[in-house]
Amino acid sequence: MGSLPETEPVVTYSKPPGVRLVERIKKSPLSFKAHQAIVLIVTFFAYASYHAARKTTSIVKSTLDPQSSDLGLKRLPWRISYHAEPPQSRKVSWVLGDGWAPFNASDGTSLLGELDLAFLAVYALGMYFSGHLGDRMNLRIFLTVGMVGTGVFTSLFGVGYWGNIHSFYYFLIVQMLAGLFQSTGWPSVVAVVGNWFGKKKRGLIMGIWNAHTSLGNITGSLVASAFLTYGWGWSFVVPGILIAFVGLVVFLFLPVSPESVGADTEEDELHSPMKSGEGLTEPLVKSAKEVKDKPVRFIEAWKIPGVAPFAFCLFFSKLVAYTFLYWLPFYISHTAIDGKYLSSETAGDLSTLFDVGGVLGGILAGHISDRLNARAITAGSFMYCAIPALFFYRSYGHVSLTVNIVLMFITGMFVNGPYALITTAVSADLGTHSSLQGNSRALATVTAIIDGTGSVGAAIGPLITGYISAKSWSAVFTMLMGAALVAGLLLTRLIVAEVAEKIEESRSRPSSGPSEPSDEELEV
């Protein structure tokens, strides 16, 4: 009878096969820091491969529809080439062929736009379900299935080249299914990184880690462009094989959480207790005391303090960011800079500086939010700064190429900074909110809610821009500035709470200092 309490259950850990192999070769378990390094590296390349596969469509558009103004083929090194007349009056020629039916008809551009809309719509909708499933499944398996599925349907789009397929509905269905599998990526990688890194330096780490988006876009552009001359099908098949291969690496090496591999969490502040007096009205989150395994329901995740404001803020933030992603090359090539028009190829290359500014913005936003311990203040400040940046880029970007580059870089920094912060550190923070009472299985659901809501804005922004830009680009920038303003205003309540917390901290700090006078000194 007395010996029963002393019997400990046998704990079995689901270590990835690759990790077990490395430990067998080393003849010792991997340290906590080694596991963290593996997580950062594997998830970085995993999501970079998602973006590389996603980018191929924009690169091949100019081959499928040679008359499209949105030419995506990029060449290195950069060659600055100009045209004296605007793009609308230039005759477009394409050396690789006369397009691909049905996209080379008069409505080809609109058909390609419908593919983009279908992809983003299914991606946004699938995000909600992916997060819900991710919190209830092994994220390593779930992410592997998503990456292999993405690779299959990305490749199937390219198979249309060799299969001589000209049915629009074939490409539409393939794109929709690719978008569905693509939606598995973001909730999964953020949840895994959030499991391994505490809040203390999460903003800076995730800000640097978020560079995978730009790296994936650039890699996808280069790979798709390099294989385009061999037939546009290869531009889809090669990225498809690439993401499937990285998916295999994920299956072999990705540790989902410290608990799943038996790692010692004492080396990090993942589960540090709350300070006395912290309640559910805190501006953001504090780490939990204990770990529970019950998944959080979808509606419960929406009720976590801060989830709804940040989700709707990301809706407008992504609306701005994705409008630039899809339309910036077109805008640059159709705007006279110093009285001259850039070629479509040069405009495409030049637009990558917006992403470079976004990388710096993500790192700065993460670092500042860590130092201030104020996610909402940082995200809101960046969104408000994006308003004058957008205004100056529209008003003075045409003065010279140098001015255009500088203003574009600054705009990318302020537009993508809060976008990167909200989709990474904020999502991970809210997924471990104290109101969950230590439940660690809400990360994927919360991330999916926030990024899924943002992806709806990502689909709507470029769609609206397509209609408005035909009449006035000034109206487009007015819409973007309004969206940035609304995004900042949606965080007002959280900003006020964080400011109040900072004021309270500043008031209470002197009371514990050594220079505080005693009651006797005050009486004297």
Side-chain angles (χ1 to χ4, degrees), residues 102-120:
F103 305 107
N104 59 351
S106 58
D107 61 343
T109 303
S110 62
L111 291 178
L112 290 171
E114 289 178 16
L115 289 184
D116 290 338
L117 180 61
F119 175 89
L120 289 170

Side-chain angles (χ1 to χ4, degrees), residues 331-356:
Y331 172 74
I332 294 174
S333 65
H334 286 67
T335 302
I337 300 176
D338 196 17
K340 301 175 183 178
Y341 289 91
L342 294 174
S343 67
S344 297
E345 292 82 6
T346 301
D349 290 332
L350 191 65
S351 67
T352 59
L353 292 174
F354 180 85
D355 281 325
V356 177

Side-chain angles (χ1 to χ4, degrees), residues 472-496:
S472 171
W473 276 106
S474 295
V476 172
F477 276 82
T478 300
M479 175 193 74
L480 297 179
M481 288 186 285
L485 176 62
V486 174
L489 292 175
L490 285 168
L491 299 180
T492 301
R493 185 177 63 84
L494 296 178
I495 292 174
V496 170

